[in-house]
Amino acid sequence: SGMVDFDRDVNVSVFEVTIRVLGGLLSAHVLLETHVHCPTYTGHLLAAAHDLGIRLLPAFSTPTGIPYGTVNLRHGVPHHETPLTSLAGGGTNLIEFTALSILTSDPRFKIVSTKALTAFYATMSPLNLLGSHINISSGIWTHRDSGIGGNTDSYYEYLAKGYALFGCEKCLEMFWGTYKGVRTYIYQRPWWVEADMYSGEIVWPLLGSLTAFYQGVLFNLGEYGIAEETIEATHAVWRRCGGLPEGYSFLSHMPHPRQSAYPLRPELAESIWQLYRATKDPLYLKMGVDMVKTIETRSKGKCGYHTLENVLTGEKRDQMESFFLSETLKYLYLLYDEDNFLNSGEWVMNTEGHPFPINSEFANALSDLGMDRAEERKKTQCGRISEWRRFTVDGFKA
């Protein structure tokens, strides 16, 4: 590429490199081609992304099609690499890999990504629940706790966003298929818990901070009441604790003793931004102000912003995660910048906050996975049109 060389003998996380590096390269390429005037740009970011994508492909050579968690950028999958991966780790690549196939006319990436996505769905329990960790060789779940937070979250996010970005009807069908189980067993009004995927028994009665993303997804697909109620309850925890702890106990109404940190996560900010875009309700602007004030007064340091080690004591950790810059600050900024082109309803963020356009080039890219449009419409019913996918969303209700 002339800028970066991925030919390195180094083991990397397939998940992290996909959402951060590959997603960042592809999104930057699209922005340079469409919104940023740069006469000297010749496509080298796309070339680098293609090279990186090829180096990630060996991870997908598994009996199930679900990728290994680690790959060596020079030598492929490391010897003795564990066959266990999480739902999010193995099922969060649809946006980046499909975009790479579209932009390079190389279909390999879309093929392996959609295979992994549907392979997970095929293992759903009779209760319409998915676990958190699976053996990629046997397809057997090794950790049966089902939820929408840690280790699982972005799989559900990409089902919804696969529909929003690519018009993938099958993705929408799978999202609502999983929602039947989530709504019945994971939703404990107004919270999200974790339950055993086969019995439905609650195994983790805590609010996990990562579940805050789900409210934006639900609202954009027409499930308004639950989204609005749950985001208000989550924001109340923020105000009570001075930040959103990693785990909040429903029993003690306090942060879990071992999950009292707030590492500047973006999920609540993204959902607030999404709900404001769709409703223009000033309540969400006030929520954003609460977040900005809390972060500014409790986390600001000399050279950046600290993770709160404990939201109750205010103890700080000398650490600032990259998602604070790529996501948290971006969503809070966009919440108040009404005229920003990213607020046009024509962009979808990947799970690391990199924007991808809803356009004719991306539309129907996954139509080969889809249901017949007329048949799909028979199953849909929704009174309002989403800002997110306002020209096609039908709000399929489970």
Side-chain angles (χ1 to χ4, degrees):
S1 67
M3 291 181 58
V4 62
D5 181 11
F6 291 117
D7 183 20
R8 297 176 180 274
D9 184 9
V10 59
N11 295 343
V12 300
S13 163
V14 175
F15 169 75
E16 298 291 358
V17 166
T18 296
I19 65 173
R20 298 169 187 260
V21 184
L22 184 60
L25 288 170
L26 292 169
S27 180
H29 165 76
V30 170
L31 290 170
L32 283 166
E33 291 280 306
T34 59
H35 282 76
V36 179
H37 179 65
C38 184
T40 60
Y41 180 65
T42 59
H44 49 272
L45 296 181
L46 180 58
H50 194 204
D51 175 55
L52 177 59
I54 291 171
R55 297 176 186 279
L56 296 176
L57 282 176
F60 291 81
S61 296
T62 68
T64 60
I66 299 171
Y68 283 100
T70 301
V71 72
N72 184 286
L73 292 180
R74 180 175 292 169
H75 301 297
V77 178
H79 295 298
H80 309 300
E81 172 63 12
T82 176
L84 306 184
T85 194
S86 69
L87 177 60
T92 308
N93 40 63
L94 183 74
I95 290 177
E96 300 81 8
F97 274 50
T98 302
L100 183 57
S101 282
I102 294 169
L103 295 171
T104 62
S105 299
D106 185 340
R108 290 178 292 173
F109 309 104
K110 180 179 78 169
I111 291 170
V112 298
S113 179
T114 54
K115 183 177 181 181
L117 197 77
T118 54
F120 273 118
Y121 190 77
T123 66
M124 191 162 58
S125 77
L127 302 183
N128 289 85
L129 293 174
L130 295 167
S132 57
H133 286 84
I134 197 169
N135 185 306
I136 62 174
S137 296
S138 66
I140 296 174
W141 290 99
T142 57
H143 192 191
R144 308 191 329 178
D145 292 0
S146 181
I148 58 168
N151 296 309
T152 62
D153 49 353
S154 48
Y155 176 80
Y156 303 105
E157 178 186 357
Y158 273 34
L159 288 178
K161 290 183 176 179
Y163 173 71
L165 184 59
F166 303 119
C168 177
E169 304 285 357
K170 185 65 174 179
C171 290
L172 185 65
E173 178 195 11
M174 290 192 291
F175 178 85
W176 290 119
T178 64
Y179 185 63
K180 292 176 183 178
V182 169
R183 177 67 178 82
T184 303
Y185 301 100
I186 307 302
Y187 180 60
Q188 299 293 314
R189 185 178 183 185
W191 312 108
W192 308 104
V193 298
E194 292 184 12
D196 183 276
M197 67 180 292
Y198 291 104
S199 70
E201 180 180 354
I202 295 174
V203 295
W204 195 240
L206 295 180
L207 168 67
S209 63
L210 291 171
T211 65
F213 87 95
Y214 203 62
Q215 284 65 264
V217 169
L218 281 184
F219 197 93
N220 280 313
L221 292 179
E223 194 69 285
Y224 306 117
I226 290 178
E228 291 169 326
E229 182 179 36
T230 306
I231 199 170
E232 289 180 23
T234 306
H235 174 248
V237 172
W238 176 283
R239 289 180 61 87
R240 177 185 178 92
C241 298
L244 189 61
E246 294 286 69
Y248 181 81
S249 172
F250 310 141
L251 303 178
S252 66
H253 299 287
M254 295 286 284
H256 188 279
R258 294 190 298 276
Q259 297 191 32
S260 59
Y262 171 59
L264 305 170
R265 290 199 184 277
E267 287 75 17
L268 179 57
E270 182 178 17
S271 283
I272 290 172
W273 169 56
Q274 294 279 3
L275 266 69
Y276 177 71
R277 281 176 55 191
T279 67
K280 302 301 181 184
D281 187 335
L283 170 66
Y284 301 115
L285 295 179
K286 294 177 182 177
M287 289 183 181
V289 168
D290 282 343
M291 290 196 69
V292 172
K293 285 183 176 179
T294 299
I295 292 170
E296 185 70 11
T297 57
R298 304 199 76 198
S299 291
K300 189 173 183 179
K302 291 182 179 179
C303 302
Y305 288 80
H306 293 271
T307 288
L308 289 179
E309 186 70 42
N310 187 309
V311 292
L312 297 181
T313 66
E315 179 186 356
K316 297 179 176 65
R317 184 191 307 167
D318 188 17
Q319 180 178 354
M320 185 177 78
E321 297 283 357
S322 64
F323 51 66
F324 177 62
L325 299 177
S326 67
E327 296 186 82
T328 309
L329 293 182
K330 183 182 296 177
Y331 301 139
L332 290 172
Y333 178 84
L334 290 172
L335 179 61
Y336 302 101
D337 186 11
E338 295 273 1
D339 297 326
N340 194 291
F341 71 93
L342 292 176
N343 279 325
S344 65
E346 303 297 339
W347 296 81
V348 172
M349 301 288 188
N350 86 333
T351 197
E352 196 65 15
H354 300 303
F356 288 83
I358 300 174
N359 60 24
S360 59
E361 189 175 17
F362 280 25
N364 300 314
L366 297 175
S367 58
D368 51 328
L369 283 182
M371 302 162 62
D372 176 77
R373 171 72 72 167
E375 185 63 27
E376 174 67 17
R377 288 190 183 280
K378 293 178 184 177
K379 300 181 180 180
T380 61
Q381 48 182 359
C382 176
R384 284 198 276 177
I385 299 299
S386 164
E387 275 293 306
W388 193 18
R389 183 76 176 174
R390 63 183 185 275
F391 52 89
T392 60
V393 75
D394 295 305
F396 183 133
K397 290 299 183 73

